[in-house]
Amino acid sequence: MDLIARISEHFGDSARLKMDAMDTLAVPIALAVEHMSECLLADGKILSCGNGGSAADAQHFSSELVNRFEIERPGLAAIALSTDTSILTSIANDYDFSLVFAKQVTALGREGDILLAISTSGNSRNVIEAIRAAHARDMRVIALTGNGGGQIDELLRDDDVHICVPATSTARIQEVHLLTIHCLCDGIDCLILGVE
């Protein structure tokens, strides 16, 4: 096996997908930035959730808002719902794993808040239940998916935003999700701080 060629292929595939997806995703990412900025300026908060690598992405997004991205600013209200093991395991044990995020959305979410729902397949049951809970709380949803959007695409309302990566490979979708998260953080900073 030629590892150098294989690694080079990964780099090439990732770069091509990002460039190919740029025109498709720029508009929904910009719309998500506007909604998130409005939410934060109105003293709302952004809850985020996902499984596995998407859980890490949810945490990454929240950490960039609460601490800072690239510009010094006061912290912004964001909570990753995948971080509290006591909450996650108690809900999974007492109810069902499909409710680990939904029960948190119901407890913490308020009208005007936003749920950032991350699922590479668009079919994660617990993320789907979180979206349902967010809608019940009159929260807008920003969905970050791939693979055609799966069941999540069918759940979204007209005022939600769907950022669906046009790919089927989980690794490639996650790579574009990370870039998207950085675009969201940068855009929020620019709108809130008035950066040109």
Side-chain angles (χ1 to χ4, degrees):
M1 172 187 290
D2 184 346
L3 283 176
I4 300 301
R6 192 170 179 90
I7 291 165
S8 298
E9 184 177 344
H10 284 300
F11 270 82
D13 289 347
S14 182
R16 276 188 295 279
L17 175 59
K18 287 172 183 161
M19 293 307 295
D20 291 345
M22 180 175 58
D23 290 336
T24 303
L25 300 184
V27 170
I29 292 171
L31 186 57
V33 166
E34 291 171 358
H35 290 321
M36 289 176 162
S37 299
E38 290 167 7
C39 166
L40 294 166
L41 288 170
D43 284 332
K45 62 187 167 297
I46 302 172
L47 306 178
S48 58
C49 65
N51 297 289
S54 297
D57 287 341
Q59 291 173 227
H60 185 143
F61 174 79
S62 294
S63 72
E64 302 287 21
L65 291 191
V66 171
N67 184 27
R68 68 177 180 87
F69 182 53
E70 293 188 323
I71 301 171
E72 291 297 332
R73 57 150 167 76
L76 301 171
I79 302 169
L81 303 179
S82 55
T83 59
D84 191 321
T85 55
S86 295
I87 290 174
L88 294 171
T89 56
S90 69
I91 294 169
N93 183 63
D94 295 348
Y95 297 94
D96 189 81
F97 190 72
S98 67
L99 299 177
V100 294
F101 301 135
K103 287 185 71 67
Q104 293 184 76
V105 170
T106 300
L108 302 171
R110 299 290 176 263
E111 183 178 351
D113 289 346
I114 287 178
L115 174 68
L116 176 61
I118 309 172
S119 171
T120 57
S121 68
N123 295 317
S124 303
R125 278 186 59 216
N126 54 9
V127 176
I128 287 169
E129 292 304 322
I131 291 170
R132 289 189 173 119
H135 285 156
R137 301 294 273 166
D138 290 323
M139 295 169 57
R140 178 175 274 134
V141 174
I142 309 295
L144 202 50
T145 70
N147 218 15
Q151 296 171 46
I152 287 176
D153 183 54
E154 300 165 15
L155 278 179
L156 297 177
R157 297 179 176 172
D158 290 342
D159 64 339
D160 295 329
V161 179
H162 192 185
I163 304 167
C164 182
V165 178
T168 56
S169 163
T170 298
R172 298 292 89 86
I173 293 166
Q174 288 176 332
E175 289 158 9
V176 177
H177 281 183
L178 179 57
L179 176 58
T180 299
I181 286 167
H182 286 163
C183 289
L184 292 171
C185 293
D186 176 70
I188 289 167
D189 281 359
C190 288
L191 287 187
I192 288 180
L193 298 174
V195 175
E196 291 298 322

